[in-house]
Amino acid sequence: YSLTINKHVVPKIGHIKLSAVTASDLENLYKECEKTISPKSIKNIHAALKQALDYAVRHDWIARNPAQLIARTDLPKIVRKPPTVITPGEARKLIDTAVGTKSEAIIALAVTTGCRVGELMGITWDRVDFPSDTKKPVTLRIDRALQHVDGKPELVEPKTPAGVRTLTLTPTASSPLKRLRAEQNKNALRLGSKWSNRLDLVFVTETGQPLNRRQVLKQYFRPLL
């Protein structure tokens, strides 16, 4: 949450000496944040500050953690809205619309597997098993996601064991993947030294660079939607 902290916390209470920070300072901070960010983001800020101030207590920089004095009920309440889910017919239309576009493989995979955006961006070719026997299905191992840490792309493991799974792909998803693999190989040969796919990612830019979440949503999903 470093970006959120730097944008919303440091400008408001960064001038206060660590030993002088009070629960009232934090409460005022959260109230001010309510004007611009969501309750969930404020709770994330509170959790990050609570952890940071616990660290300060353990190192005898402060006597007690002021974030511990704030009750959960004092934080903004998160109102959960029901998600908007596409119908099977809409899902099929989305897949059909993507055929022949650069979005074909990632759309088919997203719709048929339900993978998260970070998981899709983090798929590497060694996690895709194309069996020599064409009668057998293609399988996909999901055990990492792509995140940008301090602006640098990194593959990170899931937070829980439930995030690790092997998926059997339908032809709707596997066929575009096979075509994408062939296209990437041709592209790498054509570009030579200008091609750079250091992480061996499945979904990359035209020169082999990792995608970010904004690119995936803006360039691949939203135009088709």
Side-chain angles (χ1 to χ4, degrees):
Y1 304 112
S2 59
L3 292 177
T4 302
I5 294 294
N6 289 328
K7 183 176 181 179
H8 298 287
V9 177
V10 174
K12 295 181 176 67
I13 65 170
H15 63 284
I16 303 176
K17 192 174 180 179
L18 180 61
S19 59
V21 176
T22 66
S24 295
D25 292 325
L26 299 182
E27 288 176 346
N28 291 333
L29 166 68
Y30 302 152
K31 287 178 183 177
E32 187 67 22
C33 285
E34 283 188 69
K35 300 175 183 178
T36 55
I37 59 177
S38 68
K40 186 178 186 301
S41 294
I42 293 172
K43 286 197 172 185
N44 289 340
I45 287 175
H46 175 66
L49 288 176
K50 191 174 181 181
Q51 186 177 17
L53 293 168
D54 273 340
Y55 183 91
V57 171
R58 293 196 304 272
H59 286 74
D60 293 326
W61 296 338
I62 55 177
R64 65 177 181 176
N65 184 345
Q68 296 280 9
L69 303 176
I70 297 177
R72 184 177 298 179
T73 53
D74 292 334
L75 296 172
K77 185 177 181 181
I78 298 177
V79 179
R80 300 191 181 278
K81 298 179 181 179
T84 301
V85 183
I86 61 176
T87 65
E90 290 169 336
R92 170 52 61 187
K93 187 175 181 180
L94 180 60
I95 291 174
D96 290 344
T97 304
V99 172
T101 71
K102 68 176 183 179
S103 306
E104 181 177 6
I106 196 169
I107 289 289
L109 201 58
V111 173
T112 58
T113 66
C115 286
R116 299 177 180 87
V117 175
E119 291 175 331
L120 292 170
M121 295 190 304
I123 297 172
T124 52
W125 285 113
D126 63 340
R127 286 344 192 230
V128 184
D129 181 18
F130 295 111
S132 55
D133 184 350
T134 56
K135 293 181 180 180
K136 292 183 178 180
V138 176
T139 58
L140 170 63
R141 178 76 171 171
I142 299 294
D143 57 3
R144 295 175 299 185
L146 184 72
Q147 292 183 3
H148 286 75
V149 182
D150 295 329
K152 297 180 180 179
E154 292 184 10
L155 292 172
V156 299
E157 296 181 356
K159 294 179 180 179
T160 63
V164 177
R165 57 210 188 274
T166 298
L167 307 174
T168 300
L169 303 184
T170 65
T172 299
S174 61
S175 296
L177 271 183
K178 291 177 182 178
R179 290 193 291 272
L180 179 63
R181 181 60 165 167
E183 289 170 8
Q184 274 194 18
N185 289 337
K186 290 180 182 178
N187 212 24
L189 288 173
R190 180 175 61 84
L191 292 176
S193 60
K194 294 181 180 180
W195 172 267
S196 175
N197 187 359
R198 179 177 59 85
L199 297 176
D200 196 31
L201 297 169
V202 171
F203 300 112
V204 292
T205 67
E206 293 180 357
T207 58
Q209 296 299 310
L211 297 172
N212 59 50
R213 182 183 180 85
R214 187 170 179 271
Q215 284 176 303
V216 172
L217 296 176
K218 187 177 180 180
Q219 298 178 18
Y220 289 81
F221 282 92
R222 287 176 184 158
L224 288 173
L225 289 173

